[in-house]
Amino acid sequence: MKTIFRLLLVVLILTSCKKKAEQIPENPVQKAGFSIVIHGGAGTILRENMSPENKALYKSKLEEAIRVGYHILKNGGTSLDAVEKTINILEDSPLFNAGKGAVFTNEGTNEHDASIMDGKTLNAGASAGTKTVKNPISLARAIMEHSPHVMLSRSGAEQFAEEQGLEIVDPKYFYTEKSFNALQRVKNAQKTAFYNQNINDNKFGTVGCAALDKQGNLAAGTSTGGMTNKRWGRIGDSPIIGAGTYANNKTCAVSSTGWGEYFIRGMVAHDISSLMEYKNMSLEEAAKEVIHKKLPSIGDGRGDGGIIAIDKNGNMVMEFNTSGMFRATMNAHGELFIGMFKD
Ligand code: ASP
């Protein structure tokens, strides 16, 4: 009996040490004055496929990004600033399918989509199909704040970006070997039946952020290169307000990532907000309902992906129906959680 008791004690001590070392709160879904949550895309993210070096790279970039937003919020800045500046960090990294690391289209170009929404005013801005704007989320914000429109696309959006003094780059800036090789792989695989089964693996690494500031204002934003091998000016859910991004001070702020063709039809981000508004669901209940019940019921049921969201009380959720999602949260106490895999 004594030995069993001793053994139990050792196990308990060991588990608590492990938690301290990782500094990950057991339940990242918590109530706090201000808070921030980010994602770096959902998809086939398996522990066994990821080297420790790669894991460390993703982890440190997610942490760097979320800390930028956290400090803005901590110093009394707006949720809009936190969302934009946090996403800028992820856009400047080659690791994610947004900004610098955007995937390639069938024609070998990189075309970016982004959107942002202010939960206080319900103002929103979005850009689609730009090829020269370094930080598409900043363009989305400029559209929201300095144009009479919600969404601009392609050369018109690029012209507006220039007029606004945003950073314009040579399209070559967006070349990364990783994304270029992915295009070659997809083009080769396209010739096989396997491709049609696995088309949903062609997107990966979209980035997004949702934040609640000290003034109680919510904001959300999303930025992506879309899907590898996309054609004909394809636009996904990321720049579509209500599908890829939604924020409303009455309910929540949401950023989506996943197979855009399903997220558009499900109006995923707005649907979560609506369930809270009209059915009085909690954010957690609403997110689970949409990601695990509604999304898989659309069309042929292959709609996969996830969302990150915050409600008006600072509760955060990160819900996904894929094997993984790059994600992180920080609350007002400065507690950091970083996750990649399902468990
Ligand atoms: N939702 C994005 C799109 O369909 C891709 C992604 O989130 O990975 O364009």
Side-chain angles (χ1 to χ4, degrees), residues 41-42 97 113 203-206 224-227 234 236-238 256-261:
N97 173 17
D113 304 330
K203 39 119 193 79
F204 196 37
T206 290
T224 190
M227 288 172 95
R234 181 261 185 193
D237 60 312
S238 307
S256 311
T257 175
W259 197 342
E261 277 66 13

Coordinates of all heavy atoms in Angstrom, one line a residue, residues 41-42 97 113 203-206 224-227 234 236-238 256-261, ligand 1:
G41 N -2.8 28.4 -39.6 CA -3.3 27.4 -40.6 C -3.6 26.1 -40.0 O -3.0 25.6 -39.0
A42 N -4.6 25.4 -40.5 CA -5.0 24.1 -40.1 C -4.8 23.1 -41.3 O -4.8 23.5 -42.4 CB -6.5 24.1 -39.7
N97 N 1.6 30.4 -45.1 CA 1.0 30.7 -46.4 C 0.3 32.0 -46.4 O -1.0 32.1 -46.4 CB 0.0 29.5 -46.8 CG -0.8 29.8 -48.0 OD1 -0.4 30.7 -48.8 ND2 -1.9 29.1 -48.2
D113 N -4.9 37.2 -50.5 CA -6.2 37.6 -50.0 C -6.1 38.0 -48.5 O -5.4 37.2 -47.8 CB -7.2 36.5 -50.1 CG -7.3 35.9 -51.5 OD1 -7.1 36.7 -52.5 OD2 -7.7 34.7 -51.7
K203 N -3.8 23.5 -49.4 CA -3.8 24.8 -48.7 C -3.4 24.4 -47.3 O -3.6 23.4 -46.8 CB -5.2 25.4 -48.7 CG -6.3 24.4 -48.5 CD -7.1 24.6 -47.3 CE -8.0 23.4 -47.0 NZ -7.2 22.3 -46.4
F204 N -2.7 25.4 -46.7 CA -2.0 25.2 -45.5 C -1.3 26.4 -45.0 O -0.7 27.1 -45.8 CB -1.0 24.1 -45.8 CG -0.4 23.4 -44.7 CD1 -1.1 23.1 -43.6 CD2 1.0 23.0 -44.7 CE1 -0.5 22.4 -42.5 CE2 1.5 22.3 -43.7 CZ 0.8 22.0 -42.6
G205 N -1.5 26.8 -43.8 CA -0.6 27.9 -43.3 C -1.2 29.3 -43.4 O -0.4 30.3 -43.2
T206 N -2.5 29.4 -43.7 CA -3.1 30.7 -43.7 C -2.9 31.3 -42.2 O -2.8 30.5 -41.3 CB -4.6 30.6 -44.0 OG1 -4.8 30.3 -45.3 CG2 -5.4 31.8 -43.6
T224 N -3.9 35.3 -46.4 CA -3.5 34.0 -47.0 C -3.0 34.2 -48.4 O -3.2 35.2 -49.1 CB -4.7 33.1 -47.0 OG1 -4.3 31.8 -47.4 CG2 -5.8 33.6 -48.1
G225 N -2.3 33.1 -48.9 CA -2.0 33.0 -50.3 C -3.0 32.1 -51.0 O -2.9 31.8 -52.2
G226 N -3.9 31.5 -50.2 CA -5.0 30.7 -50.8 C -4.5 29.2 -50.9 O -3.9 28.7 -50.0
M227 N -4.9 28.6 -52.1 CA -4.5 27.2 -52.3 C -3.5 27.0 -53.4 O -3.6 27.7 -54.4 CB -5.8 26.4 -52.7 CG -6.8 26.2 -51.6 SD -8.3 25.5 -52.2 CE -8.0 23.8 -51.9
R234 N -9.0 32.4 -58.7 CA -9.8 31.8 -57.6 C -9.6 32.6 -56.3 O -8.5 33.0 -55.9 CB -9.3 30.4 -57.3 CG -10.0 29.6 -56.2 CD -9.2 29.7 -54.9 NE -9.8 28.9 -53.9 CZ -9.5 28.9 -52.6 NH1 -8.5 29.7 -52.2 NH2 -10.1 28.2 -51.7
G236 N -10.6 32.5 -52.1 CA -11.2 31.7 -51.1 C -12.0 32.4 -50.1 O -12.5 33.5 -50.4
D237 N -12.1 31.9 -48.9 CA -13.0 32.5 -47.9 C -12.2 33.6 -47.1 O -12.9 34.5 -46.5 CB -13.4 31.5 -46.8 CG -12.1 30.8 -46.2 OD1 -11.2 30.4 -46.9 OD2 -12.1 30.7 -45.0
S238 N -10.9 33.6 -47.1 CA -10.2 34.5 -46.2 C -10.5 36.0 -46.4 O -10.6 36.7 -45.4 CB -8.6 34.3 -46.4 OG -8.3 32.9 -46.3
S256 N -10.9 32.4 -39.7 CA -11.1 31.0 -40.2 C -9.8 30.5 -41.0 O -9.1 31.4 -41.5 CB -12.2 30.8 -41.1 OG -13.4 31.4 -40.6
T257 N -9.6 29.2 -41.0 CA -8.6 28.7 -41.9 C -9.1 27.3 -42.4 O -9.6 26.5 -41.5 CB -7.2 28.6 -41.3 OG1 -6.4 27.9 -42.2 CG2 -7.2 27.8 -40.0
G258 N -9.0 27.0 -43.6 CA -9.4 25.7 -44.1 C -9.8 25.7 -45.6 O -9.5 26.7 -46.3
W259 N -10.6 24.8 -46.0 CA -10.9 24.7 -47.4 C -12.0 25.8 -47.7 O -13.2 25.6 -47.4 CB -11.5 23.3 -47.7 CG -11.5 22.9 -49.2 CD1 -11.5 23.8 -50.2 CD2 -11.6 21.6 -49.7 NE1 -11.5 23.1 -51.4 CE2 -11.6 21.8 -51.1 CE3 -11.6 20.4 -49.2 CZ2 -11.7 20.7 -52.0 CZ3 -11.7 19.3 -50.1 CH2 -11.7 19.4 -51.4
G260 N -11.6 26.8 -48.3 CA -12.4 28.0 -48.5 C -13.7 27.8 -49.2 O -14.7 28.5 -48.8
E261 N -13.8 26.9 -50.1 CA -15.0 26.7 -50.9 C -16.2 26.2 -49.9 O -17.3 26.5 -50.2 CB -14.8 25.6 -52.0 CG -14.2 26.2 -53.3 CD -12.8 26.7 -53.1 OE1 -12.1 26.4 -52.1 OE2 -12.3 27.4 -54.1
Ligands
ASP1 N1 -9.0 29.3 -46.4 C1 -7.9 29.5 -47.3 C2 -8.4 29.4 -48.7 O1 -9.3 28.6 -49.0 C3 -6.8 28.5 -47.2 C4 -6.4 28.1 -45.8 O2 -7.0 28.6 -44.8 O3 -5.5 27.3 -45.6 O4 -8.0 30.2 -49.5

